[in-house]
Amino acid sequence: DGGITQSPKYLFRKEGQNVTLSCEQNLNHDAMYWYRQDPGQGLRLIYYSQIVNDFQKGDIAEGYSVSREKKESFPLTVTSAQKNPTAFYLCASSIDLRILNEQFFGPGTRLTVL
Amino acid sequence: AQKVTQAQTEISVVEKEDVTLDCVYETRDTTYYLFWYKQPPSGELVFLIRRNSFDEQNEISGRYSWNFQKSTSSFNFTITASQVVDSAVYFCALSAYTSGGSYIPTFGRGTSLIVHP
């Protein structure tokens, strides 16, 4: 079955700790994205990537970092610099950023910082 | 700049009622796509439909229908005879060309639909 997996589903961390959220896809998509969802805020773009070793900042990149060492994987690190990290994080992919097409989403990771 | 407005934050209906979710968009591009996604309580967004800017035909899929009107920059979604399983957050999104040479979607804030039995 093709799709996007995110792990873990729930994550708890102490304030001041960095934490890495996993995202893997087997759809052979070039483009991958990270979104943050807060109640009533919709989806806000954190980072996106079209190819390996290349990624771009989205609207709210401060306090986050990503890597794209493999086409299938796009992990997101929430650093201690992120002021309010508690949120629901969604990873998505699409065929290619340069063409119009829909996105496919993972099940999300709910991060709670205590 | 692109913008998507879903003015309805939450809609509550009783099963079997029809309900329309509104979506208004802004873009200066002539080529773009509009999308609707459903987010059930499990959290994963599910793609429902896409419509390109050159196709204003309405679409019907079972109990779902979409009305695209360029004249009013709207792409509304109607659920006929709603069911409890339709309870979810629904997102409208717009994808148009950016100066960086890519199509990055812009999402509305979502409309939470609650269908009571």
Side-chain angles (χ1 to χ4, degrees), chain A residues 67-79:
Chain A
S67 63
R68 187 95 186 267
E69 296 178 3
K70 299 184 299 181
K71 182 176 180 176
E72 316 81 68
S73 179
F74 192 40
L76 172 75
T77 296
V78 184
T79 75

Side-chain angles (χ1 to χ4, degrees), chain A:
Chain A
D1 269 335
I4 300 177
T5 57
Q6 290 185 244
S7 61
K9 190 165 179 64
Y10 298 96
L11 192 54
F12 296 89
R13 277 296 180 269
K14 291 184 179 179
E15 198 171 337
Q17 289 182 332
N18 290 358
V19 60
T20 297
L21 281 57
S22 165
C23 176
E24 304 275 333
Q25 54 101 356
N26 61 3
L27 299 166
N28 199 32
H29 285 172
D30 284 327
M32 295 188 75
Y33 316 75
W34 273 104
Y35 290 93
R36 170 179 172 142
Q37 185 178 13
D38 298 281
Q41 293 288 323
L43 301 180
R44 292 186 289 169
L45 183 63
I46 305 173
Y47 270 98
Y48 60 97
S49 168
Q50 168 69 4
I51 57 173
V52 171
N53 293 325
D54 186 54
F55 41 83
Q56 308 296 327
K57 292 182 179 179
D59 301 319
I60 57 165
E62 186 175 347
Y64 299 97
S65 65
V66 293
S67 63
R68 187 95 186 267
E69 296 178 3
K70 299 184 299 181
K71 182 176 180 176
E72 316 81 68
S73 179
F74 192 40
L76 172 75
T77 296
V78 184
T79 75
S80 55
Q82 169 51 233
K83 300 288 183 226
N84 185 18
T86 294
F88 187 55
Y89 292 88
L90 283 159
C91 179
S93 72
S94 65
I95 294 171
D96 193 311
L97 273 175
R98 296 164 296 180
I99 60 176
L100 285 165
N101 54 89
E102 62 273 19
Q103 292 172 306
F104 293 81
F105 285 82
T109 292
R110 190 167 297 280
L111 173 64
T112 302
V113 175
L114 306 171

Side-chain angles (χ1 to χ4, degrees), chain B residues 68-105:
Chain B
F68 176 31
Q69 291 195 335
K70 286 177 78 169
S71 60
T72 56
S73 297
S74 65
F75 186 43
N76 296 337
F77 173 28
T78 297
I79 301 175
T80 303
S82 59
Q83 300 176 2
V84 172
V85 293
D86 295 326
S87 296
V89 180
Y90 291 87
F91 289 97
C92 180
L94 163 70
S95 202
Y97 192 76
T98 67
S99 58
S102 54
Y103 293 96
I104 304 296

Side-chain angles (χ1 to χ4, degrees), chain B residues 4-117:
Chain B
V4 175
T5 302
Q6 295 180 255
Q8 303 150 308
T9 306
E10 183 176 298
I11 301 175
S12 185
V13 299
V14 176
E15 211 169 17
K16 298 184 183 175
E17 281 186 43
D18 298 346
V19 58
T20 295
L21 310 181
D22 298 332
C23 174
V24 174
Y25 64 92
E26 294 176 30
T27 180
R28 284 178 285 190
D29 289 294
T30 55
T31 303
Y32 52 89
Y33 267 23
L34 293 161
F35 306 86
W36 275 97
Y37 292 87
K38 174 181 180 179
Q39 185 180 39
S42 60
E44 181 173 338
L45 268 77
V46 176
F47 165 73
L48 294 177
I49 190 173
R50 73 177 183 198
R51 173 65 71 221
N52 76 58
S53 51
F54 301 106
D55 181 4
E56 287 192 73
Q57 269 195 326
N58 292 332
E59 177 143 347
I60 298 174
S61 176
R63 297 184 296 107
Y64 294 173
S65 62
W66 291 268
N67 179 254
F68 176 31
Q69 291 195 335
K70 286 177 78 169
S71 60
T72 56
S73 297
S74 65
F75 186 43
N76 296 337
F77 173 28
T78 297
I79 301 175
T80 303
S82 59
Q83 300 176 2
V84 172
V85 293
D86 295 326
S87 296
V89 180
Y90 291 87
F91 289 97
C92 180
L94 163 70
S95 202
Y97 192 76
T98 67
S99 58
S102 54
Y103 293 96
I104 304 296
T106 298
F107 285 80
R109 293 194 169 197
T111 297
S112 176
L113 174 65
I114 302 168
V115 182
H116 299 280

